[in-house]
Amino acid sequence: MILLAVETSCDDTALAVLDDWRVIHSEVAGQDAHHRHGGVVPEIASRLHLDVLPGMADRALDSSEISLSEIDALAATAGPGLIGSLLVGLSWTKSLAWAMDKPFLAVNHLAAHLFSCYRGPGSIVWPAVALVASGGHTCTFLMGSPSDLRLLGSTRDDAAGETFDKIAKLLGLGFPGGPGIERLAEKGDPDSIDLPSPLGDPSDPDFSFSGLKTAARLRWEAGVSPEDLCASLQRVITDLLAEKLLYQAELHQADSVVAGGGVLANRRLRELLEELCARRGLNLYLPPPAMTTDNAIMVGRAALTALHHKPESKSPISVNAFARWTGEELSTVVGLD
Ligand code: KG4
Ligand code: ZN
């Protein structure tokens, strides 16, 4: 099964070709144009996706030495994300699928992050608790199987990545903010600045980061060292994510922990999860750091999972983009019967 997958939910344009679980080609193009704005400008993001997608598809076919007619199915992210950005990748891929008369699968971006390290049946021990921590989302799920995702908790205000981004902007560290905060944190003392841990009780499945963001801003305005502030902020956010996830793992007697999303590039968070999972005998599945952020491999693997489960799986060709996801059950592919 050769599958072409596209991801354009925010500011990265990504395209991948998979031959079942094997990646034949993958490319991600970031958009530097947003850096000077300190955040993603939606119209610029949409236009840049439209500029680069066709060239990316040509390169993918050339380098993987396959012709268009050899592609068996196509997948693209339908949401959640920036509507303009989503519409570009979704319309482009749907049109191609329609013209080729091949099945099209519309993938949920949140679910896709959890498939970054899924390589088919047997590659993850179920049940698992799962964390998606990115610029737009902070959610935990119980995964009974690759097609059974139930929401456990989510943020009531800002996402974890968004908190890093906003404090990084305040400190002039550029966008996205996570890598800059991590770099400075290495030179700071994580226990030097007293910051609150909102909804800090591990048994509370929800997250809240906006009070933390305000407290960090007030400390900054009071004149603390940027290194100490970054180290302390990173400590509080990564502790909250790891402790709440591990509490849920114990509560639901999970065998494994799965995580994805850009914040999982953070070394302290990865080390903390590794240490806590090892201590409790849990399997831990983390994507390599470069695959924690948006990519099309995860979209392809999410679509393949649905196709393996039910080979005739496809979304209606009229499927539309959506900005937000709300609900309890998370469908990896949108619009399946
Ligand atoms: O998953 P992603 O690429 O895009 C969304 O779906 O939002 O995640 C991007 C987010 C940004 O907020 C960025 O600051 C954060 O991931 N991030 C990090 C690190 N690298 C990226 N956060 C903490 N530490 C990092 N090293
Ligand atoms: Zn993402």
Side-chain angles (χ1 to χ4, degrees):
M1 154 85 59
I2 307 269
L3 186 124
L4 183 131
V6 170
E7 153 64 42
T8 61
S9 65
C10 192
D11 60 335
D12 290 317
T13 317
L15 187 145
V17 180
L18 282 82
D19 182 356
D20 274 323
W21 305 103
R22 194 168 64 87
V23 179
I24 313 181
H25 179 88
S26 170
E27 189 177 338
V28 181
Q31 301 182 344
D32 293 343
H34 304 288
H35 287 191
R36 65 194 174 94
H37 300 284
V40 178
V41 183
E43 184 181 334
I44 296 178
S46 311
R47 289 177 180 280
L48 291 175
H49 289 311
L50 205 51
D51 278 348
V52 304
L53 253 183
M56 221 178 229
D58 284 343
R59 280 192 296 283
L61 295 180
D62 278 355
S63 84
S64 48
E65 295 180 354
I66 56 161
S67 65
L68 207 49
S69 60
E70 287 174 277
I71 293 170
D72 300 303
L74 297 96
T77 306
L82 297 175
I83 283 294
S85 287
L86 290 162
L87 285 171
V88 173
L90 185 65
S91 311
W92 190 88
T93 316
K94 277 208 305 185
S95 308
L96 197 56
W98 178 79
M100 293 166 65
D101 196 21
K102 293 285 164 71
F104 171 74
L105 292 95
V107 170
N108 183 304
H109 182 78
L110 280 183
H113 268 300
L114 299 175
F115 286 85
S116 285
C117 48
Y118 184 65
R119 288 186 180 75
S123 63
I124 289 180
V125 182
W126 311 107
V129 291
L131 167 72
V132 181
S134 66
H137 299 92
T138 306
C139 305
T140 52
F141 297 94
L142 179 61
M143 288 182 89
S145 73
S147 53
D148 172 20
L149 280 115
R150 191 159 60 78
L151 183 71
L152 296 172
S154 60
T155 182
R156 296 190 187 166
D157 38 59
D158 294 349
E162 188 181 358
T163 311
F164 281 126
D165 293 338
K166 286 184 175 162
I167 298 302
K169 186 175 180 182
L170 192 68
L171 272 62
L173 298 176
F175 180 84
I181 298 264
E182 179 167 9
R183 211 169 37 248
L184 250 61
E186 277 164 27
K187 297 181 216 128
D189 175 359
D191 299 310
S192 57
I193 298 176
D194 184 32
L195 289 170
S197 291
L199 301 186
D201 182 349
S203 69
D204 185 333
D206 288 335
F207 299 88
S208 168
F209 295 107
S210 95
L212 174 61
K213 179 188 67 188
T214 305
R217 181 172 55 76
L218 293 173
R219 304 287 189 282
W220 173 243
E221 286 167 2
V224 296
S225 108
E227 289 83 4
D228 287 345
L229 184 63
C230 289
S232 302
L233 181 72
Q234 177 179 265
R235 169 184 55 80
V236 175
I237 293 180
T238 53
D239 278 355
L240 279 166
L241 295 173
E243 283 167 10
K244 289 192 178 222
L245 187 59
L246 270 289
Y247 182 91
Q248 292 297 323
E250 201 163 310
L251 182 68
H252 295 282
Q253 298 183 330
D255 289 315
S256 306
V257 168
V258 178
V263 179
L264 273 299
N266 186 278
R267 203 146 19 95
R268 184 178 193 271
L269 179 58
R270 297 175 75 89
E271 287 170 3
L272 197 55
L273 288 173
E274 277 158 15
E275 185 192 317
L276 293 175
C277 287
R279 213 187 291 160
R280 297 179 198 192
L282 291 159
N283 305 296
L284 175 65
Y285 303 95
L286 292 178
M291 269 187 65
T292 56
T293 47
D294 292 345
N295 63 81
I297 296 173
M298 66 187 195
V299 176
R301 288 184 174 156
L304 271 175
T305 306
L307 287 164
H308 274 246
H309 185 64
K310 199 170 158 204
E312 65 277 20
S313 296
K314 59 179 181 179
S315 303
I317 201 71
S318 59
V319 66
N320 217 322
F322 56 97
R324 286 177 204 293
W325 173 78
T326 51
E328 293 299 318
E329 310 285 323
L330 176 64
S331 308
T332 304
V333 174
V334 182
L336 292 182
D337 301 333

